[in-house]
Each structure stands twice: as C-alpha cells, then as structure tokens.
Amino acid sequence: MSKKNYAGIPDKYARIDEAKVVLIPVPYDGTSTWQKGADKGPDAFLNASENMELYDIETRSEVYKKGIYLAPPVTEDSSPEKMVEAVYKTTKNYIKQDKFVTLFGGEHSISIGSIRAFNESFEDLTVVQLDAHADLRPEYEGSKCNHACALHEASKNTNLLQIGIRSMDVSENDHMDENQVYFAHDLYEDWQDDAIGQMTPNVFITIDLDAFDPSIMPSTGTPEPGGLFWYETLEFLKMMFKKKNVVGFDIVELCPNKDEKSSDFLAAKLYYKMLSYKFKYQDYNEEDEDE
C-alpha cells in the first residue's frame, strides 16, 4: 500500500497529533475459503475515498476536518494468530492515545483482534455485527482465528448482537443466542428499536460488507441473496450513534473487482457516513451535557 492521506485530505487534517480519528488498514486475506481478494480491499476503499465529495448533505458537515490519520497498514500475515495479535496491539495502542479508532480490512478474521482490544478498553461492551454469516465457529480449518470464527470470542466475552444473518452452519446453533440475532428473513417493523434496547452504553460495530444485498454490494467474498439495503442500514447506524456511545468500528470483506467500482464507492461512503454520524451526535450530546 502506498502512503497517502485518507481521501486526499490536506496534511493539516491528516497528522496523528491533531487527528481525532485513526484509520488502520489491514490488507489480510489468509483464511478466506472462496473468492480471494479481500487483501486488496483497503487500497480499493482508499482509492474510492479520494473521489468522494467530502460535504455530507444529511449532517451538513465536513467530518474530515476533525482530523483522520491514516495509520501504517498492519501487514503481519505469517499466520492467522499472529495477524490477530498484531491487529490487537495496533488497535490498543491508538485507543490508549484517546483516538476514535477505526479499521478497514481485509477479511473478517481481523475483527478478532480489534474486538479484543476494544473489549479490554471499554466496560460492558456490546458488539453489533452486521453480516450475512454467523461466524461463530470455535475453530475452522485448524485455526481459531479463521474468518468463520470471527465473532466466536465476542459471543463469549461481550454482549453480541447479530444483524442480517442469513447463512450459517448447523454447529453454530450451539454458540448462538437467538434472542440477540436479527435474521435477514425475519426483520419486522420495530426490529431496530428492539436491537437498540438490547445494547449496553458502549458499542463497537463490525460490518462485513456481505451484510448488504448483492444487488448493491456484489464485490465481496461470499455474496448472499436477501441482504440489507442502503437507507435501512444508515437508519440503524444513525440510531446507534444517537443513542449509544459508539467507541469504534471496523469494515471488512471488500473484494474489489476491476470491472465493478460501485462496491468500492459504497464502502468508502459507508465509512464516511459513520464518521459523520459519530461526530454530529457526539458533539450534540456533549453540548447537552455542558448545558
């Protein structure tokens, strides 16, 4: 990966000492089992980000002016376990610097490390997983750090909510709390309110891009029919940022296709929208507290 500023923003907004946000790229694709290419996801995401217009109409903000530092990528790939440890240490380091830490993968196994770091740093953490797949296997293909195991540790150590699930192995039933799963085929009118009600105050969001319907997000490792759509997803994200303290997030599983660029742009727009919500509603809440 070439070193450049996120979204081509001016240097004064990209310095670590001034930035409120840290973006950690993790170009890892060591355990995927069908389509390869998630290691190219961070570069495709950054290239698309350079072509976004940086004024967000909905929030009437230019969130990049809060400062977004593009960290050196985590490139450890000698084993899934060592990659997870490297992600954990890097994430923990920036959390300790009082940054709003975000990550872009890579495959979903990177989230084992990021969630571990956030769970150690914030009390009573809820992890909200938007995903087509349950990812709850305790081990797969000889590793506990496989992409199919991405949320197993979180299911044991955090308050895990799973949104949009529509594919799983029968063995994952043993590790799933169905009271905290919102299956894609069974989303009802008030599901978002009910999900918010199950969250603790501190929330970490992990988004596998295959949560989206493949009609709007075809470029992912295992596209599953029947997924989430753009505005319903933004509505849910906005509710979380309004009502909870979102402490960080990661986005994974962009598998870029040179002939299909809309997926890259969706990922870029999604990341920027989430930052826009974070700082609009964080600033608003802080003003309320001051009053």
Side-chain angles (χ1 to χ4, degrees):
M1 294 181 64
S2 56
K3 177 59 180 172
K4 51 191 172 183
N5 293 347
Y6 163 77
I9 62 177
D11 288 343
K12 67 178 180 177
Y13 299 120
R15 297 195 303 265
I16 183 62
D17 55 334
E18 297 292 335
K20 292 188 176 182
V21 178
V22 168
L23 166 58
I24 307 169
V26 191
Y28 180 78
D29 192 23
T31 75
S32 59
T33 47
W34 188 31
Q35 297 186 87
K36 293 287 187 179
D39 56 324
K40 307 297 192 300
D43 260 340
F45 157 76
L46 290 170
N47 288 337
S49 299
E50 289 185 357
N51 292 285
M52 286 192 312
E53 293 170 309
L54 296 177
Y55 174 70
D56 182 69
I57 298 170
E58 181 184 8
T59 60
R60 297 179 178 269
S61 67
E62 295 177 290
V63 73
Y64 75 89
K65 291 183 178 178
K66 299 291 183 182
I68 304 169
Y69 172 68
L70 179 59
V74 176
T75 56
E76 172 61 61
D77 63 357
S78 57
S79 73
E81 292 72 21
K82 289 183 178 179
M83 177 278 297
V84 164
E85 182 66 14
V87 170
Y88 160 76
K89 287 181 176 178
T90 302
T91 303
K92 192 77 176 284
N93 173 51
Y94 288 117
I95 293 172
K96 287 180 176 178
Q97 295 180 47
D98 198 28
K99 304 297 184 183
F100 183 71
V101 182
T102 64
L103 301 93
F104 197 96
E107 59 166 70
H108 212 166
S109 55
I110 75 156
S111 299
I112 301 171
S114 58
I115 292 170
R116 190 179 295 170
F118 278 95
N119 194 35
E120 288 184 4
S121 304
F122 296 92
E123 292 184 358
D124 200 12
L125 186 70
T126 291
V127 173
V128 178
Q129 171 197 5
L130 279 70
D131 202 330
H133 306 93
D135 291 345
L136 291 176
R137 302 186 208 202
E139 184 174 313
Y140 191 65
E141 295 190 337
S143 175
K144 295 179 181 179
C145 295
N146 189 283
H147 71 99
C149 314
L151 276 298
H152 182 266
E153 184 176 306
S155 73
K156 306 303 180 186
N157 299 334
T158 74
N159 177 47
L160 175 64
L161 291 179
Q162 300 183 285
I163 312 296
I165 307 301
R166 53 197 189 275
S167 181
M168 59 184 287
D169 185 75
V170 65
S171 65
E172 293 176 280
N173 279 312
D174 295 336
H175 308 285
M176 174 178 280
D177 180 354
E178 289 199 17
N179 293 321
Q180 304 223 139
V181 180
Y182 293 81
F183 292 105
H185 73 275
D186 199 27
L187 294 178
Y188 50 90
E189 184 176 353
D190 296 324
W191 73 267
Q192 298 183 345
D193 291 321
D194 289 348
I196 294 287
Q198 291 179 292
M199 297 176 196
T200 55
N202 292 326
V203 172
F204 177 83
I205 303 170
T206 180
I207 299 181
D208 185 325
L209 289 167
D210 66 24
F212 288 100
D213 192 83
S215 63
I216 64 169
M217 172 49 72
S219 296
T220 186
T222 312
E224 293 275 354
L228 302 174
F229 289 95
W230 181 246
Y231 284 110
E232 68 177 324
T233 303
L234 291 188
E235 180 184 359
F236 182 51
L237 292 170
K238 183 163 58 175
M239 287 177 67
M240 282 192 279
F241 283 103
K242 277 185 173 181
K243 297 176 180 293
K244 300 296 175 180
N245 177 34
V246 177
V247 297
F249 64 83
D250 64 32
I251 300 173
V252 300
E253 298 283 359
L254 175 62
C255 188
N257 178 341
K258 63 182 177 63
D259 297 321
E260 195 280 300
K261 296 298 184 183
S262 64
S263 294
D264 304 354
F265 202 83
L266 185 151
K269 196 80 171 181
L270 177 67
Y271 177 85
Y272 200 69
K273 289 293 286 188
M274 292 174 75
L275 290 188
S276 299
Y277 290 154
K278 170 63 181 176
F279 286 95
K280 176 178 176 62
Y281 297 116
Q282 173 180 285
D283 289 349
Y284 175 81
N285 290 336
E286 287 175 353
E287 287 168 8
D288 276 358
E289 288 170 5
D290 290 342
E291 290 173 7

